[in-house]
Amino acid sequence: MKAVIFDLDGVLVDTAKYHYLAWKKLAAELGVNLTEKENERLKGVSRMDSLKIILSLGGLTFSEAEMNRLADRKNSWFVEYIDQMKPEEIFDGVFPLLNALREAGVSIALASSSKNAAAVLKNLLLENTFDTVVDGTMIKESKPDPEIFLKAADNLGVAPNECIVVEDAEAGVEAARRAGMKAVGIGHTEQLGEAELVVDHISKLSYNRLKSL
Ligand code: BG6
Ligand code: MG
């Protein structure tokens, strides 16, 4: 284990909730009831891919210009939520884990499909915490494509099989596996069963637990 690559939304902080609330509001306007179960498919994928999933749930088709407008509308609500965020919202257990990894000489990376990741990191005062950050503005394909994790490993100069990914999204666990990395799921085995280890909260992870993988 030379590096641990962390997802952001739903792993370090509960921004997954804000994505869900904003998508649910947009879906409702379109006459689609977005349930928490269906929302699992939206986690980790790009903004446009998320919108396309919602439109397919409702059997709806829109022009590209209309889809851009809808995605912008969702994003404006999401940005209102994250503008209010404070460092206290970082999940318990995050700093002890990051510090233990650092002390052991393990690199730490952040890899988020979100184009808002830089703003979230800034509001949480985490902008200088990671050895490398790869976000939605830096990749061509979002999760479940492995590009984001491979880019993070490349930036760190480590091989994919020396990395462990920490993810709350099914698409993220798949991306890790396709990158040739081990994955730890934060959530339920129902969605994240392909991961090497699934825990319900990041506070359950320790340096030793990750190393034992
Ligand atoms: C991921 C979230 O981190 O970022 C997804 O899990 C979200 O739910 C994606 O759709 C893209 O985020 P943004 O901020 O670019 O719309
Ligand atoms: Mg996530």
Side-chain angles (χ1 to χ4, degrees):
M1 177 173 72
K2 290 207 179 147
V4 178
I5 307 176
F6 292 88
D7 173 49
L8 172 63
D9 296 322
V11 167
L12 302 184
V13 70
D14 201 7
T15 32
K17 174 180 73 195
Y18 302 140
H19 279 296
Y20 176 51
L21 291 173
W23 280 126
K24 196 169 171 63
K25 187 167 166 182
L26 187 83
E29 286 190 355
L30 297 169
V32 177
N33 177 31
L34 181 68
T35 63
E36 281 198 51
K37 190 169 167 27
E38 281 151 354
N39 182 60
E40 290 299 324
R41 292 171 59 201
L42 272 52
K43 289 185 180 174
V45 306
S46 70
R47 196 180 305 167
M48 210 26 99
D49 288 346
S50 299
L51 175 63
K52 285 178 184 164
I53 293 170
I54 291 173
L55 296 182
S56 75
L57 288 170
L60 303 166
T61 350
F62 284 97
S63 70
E64 199 164 323
E66 286 165 326
M67 288 203 293
N68 284 329
R69 193 185 57 79
L70 292 170
D72 286 351
R73 199 164 156 70
K74 178 267 173 178
N75 192 55
S76 66
W77 295 325
F78 179 72
V79 168
E80 277 175 29
Y81 286 123
I82 62 171
D83 277 350
Q84 307 297 318
M85 288 187 79
K86 299 270 170 331
E88 295 75 55
E89 289 178 58
I90 297 169
F91 285 141
D92 285 347
V94 169
F95 287 117
L97 180 60
L98 295 181
N99 291 338
L101 290 167
R102 277 215 171 290
E103 275 169 30
V106 177
S107 297
I108 51 175
L110 186 117
S112 167
S113 299
S114 174
K115 293 184 168 141
N116 291 296
V120 173
L121 292 176
K122 187 163 186 282
N123 287 352
L124 299 177
L125 305 178
L126 290 178
E127 70 265 65
N128 298 317
T129 301
F130 294 91
D131 297 309
T132 189
V133 172
V134 186
D135 69 28
T137 68
M138 303 167 189
I139 49 169
K140 284 199 205 74
E141 302 294 333
S142 85
K143 302 166 192 174
D145 190 282
E147 180 185 356
I148 194 163
F149 294 137
L150 292 172
K151 204 173 164 91
D154 192 52
N155 288 352
L156 295 171
V158 299
N161 66 1
E162 296 170 327
C163 299
I164 294 178
V165 167
V166 184
E167 259 294 345
D168 69 320
E170 192 171 354
V173 170
E174 185 185 332
R177 294 190 71 86
R178 283 167 63 182
M181 300 175 181
K182 287 191 171 150
V184 175
I186 309 275
H188 304 283
T189 44
E190 197 188 343
Q191 287 87 31
L192 308 173
E194 292 295 305
E196 268 73 21
L197 167 71
V198 180
V199 293
D200 61 5
H201 195 271
I202 194 163
S203 58
K204 306 276 170 68
L205 294 179
S206 63
Y207 166 74
N208 283 329
R209 208 156 177 198
L210 291 178
K211 198 172 157 41
S212 72
L213 296 173

